[in-house]
Amino acid sequence: MVALPAIALPAIALAPSAHASVPAQSGTTHLWGKLNQLNNSGATGTVTASLTGDQLSIKIVSHGLLAGAPHAQHIHLGGSNTCPSNDTKGTGVDGHLRVADAMKDYGMIAVSLTTSGDTSPNSGLAVTRFPVGSTTYSRTITVSDATAVSIREGKGVVVQHGVDYNGDGKYSGSSKSELDPSLPEEATDPANCGRLEVSQMSGMPTGGVQTGAGASDDASAIAFGGAAAAATAAVGFGYVGLRRRAANRI
Ligand SMILES: [Cu+2]
């Protein structure tokens, strides 16, 4: 029973690439992004990434995030594939920008940038598997073909979440997250945002298909890629079956 979806999902994910993304499979695309604060969080960061085939190596150096607290982080796709500005007001307490307020800008979760295990949208709120405080995060993960195509087009937007508005050193306050009422709004509001721009280095000529070292990732990683593809297909290409599960939205 376990083996079937692990095989079937990548098959679904790969099908659209037969004609649509063959050129994108060649070489390595280099990406760069600057994370700018949202909600006056004071949190910033720098993202560097490279994408070879479906293997995404991503590094995030963050500053100014609440210490000692987990910070959900994702690659979002959809909306206008942009970040709202820091002064954008939202529906949260004191006019703070909530996750859902910015979906028209950065869309929904395509990849959960967890520290281990699943990276699908289903792990969007897996607080035990996100970095704690300001860190240097680095991981190579398998993304779906559809997500890879969008990232190569410069549409990926990285968002880190969690803002300590009242400065008490933890996620607190009476206002609850619109995604999970068991969490304070502080835990899920976006702290910063940056678009993954394709760097000039990506124009370098390459010699055919490369398969990164990450290709040796275990079967579960491949299955996650398939799951992400299914989600991205719904999110990024026509909004068919738009999922309203909270975990997909932060
Ligand atoms: Cu997010």
Side-chain angles (χ1 to χ4, degrees):
M1 282 190 62
V2 173
L4 181 56
I7 294 169
L9 282 172
I12 293 168
L14 289 170
S17 71
H19 62 279
S21 63
V22 168
Q25 294 296 312
S26 299
T28 297
T29 301
H30 298 274
L31 303 123
W32 181 88
K34 183 177 186 302
L35 301 178
N36 296 309
Q37 69 171 342
L38 295 175
N39 285 314
N40 288 317
S41 67
T44 59
T46 304
V47 186
T48 51
S50 62
L51 182 61
T52 303
D54 289 342
Q55 295 301 303
L56 176 70
S57 293
I58 185 165
K59 179 180 177 181
I60 303 175
V61 180
S62 56
H63 304 278
L65 291 168
L66 174 62
H71 294 273
Q73 55 181 18
H74 318 103
I75 297 174
H76 288 248
L77 288 171
S80 56
N81 301 294
T82 60
C83 291
S85 62
N86 182 45
D87 60 1
T88 304
K89 296 301 179 190
T91 60
V93 65
D94 297 329
H96 289 129
L97 189 72
R98 292 184 183 225
V99 171
D101 295 329
M103 283 179 59
K104 65 184 186 305
D105 302 296
Y106 55 52
M108 296 174 68
I109 296 172
V111 180
S112 296
L113 297 171
T114 55
T115 54
S116 65
D118 179 37
T119 57
S120 80
N122 292 332
S123 291
L125 274 173
V127 291
T128 62
R129 291 187 290 114
F130 283 114
V132 174
S134 294
T135 58
T136 295
Y137 168 86
S138 184
R139 194 176 178 193
T140 297
I141 56 182
T142 302
V143 299
S144 73
D145 274 15
T147 293
V149 168
S150 292
I151 290 174
R152 284 191 177 88
E153 292 173 349
K155 293 179 176 176
V157 173
V158 172
V159 181
Q160 293 184 305
H161 301 261
V163 185
D164 180 23
Y165 294 123
N166 61 9
D168 67 352
K170 59 187 177 183
Y171 296 140
S172 61
S174 58
S175 179
K176 301 305 180 188
S177 170
E178 85 275 35
L179 309 178
D180 182 346
S182 72
L183 296 172
E185 178 186 339
E186 287 190 344
T188 59
D189 277 5
N192 61 35
C193 182
R195 191 168 64 86
L196 280 175
E197 300 182 36
V198 178
S199 76
Q200 296 302 316
M201 289 178 63
S202 64
M204 289 169 27
T206 55
V209 174
Q210 299 178 12
T211 55
S216 63
D217 280 0
D218 60 22
S220 60
I222 296 170
F224 297 148
T232 304
V235 171
F237 297 92
Y239 296 88
V240 177
L242 186 65
R243 297 210 278 175
R244 290 295 179 187
R245 294 181 58 244
N248 285 6
R249 292 164 52 188
I250 74 169

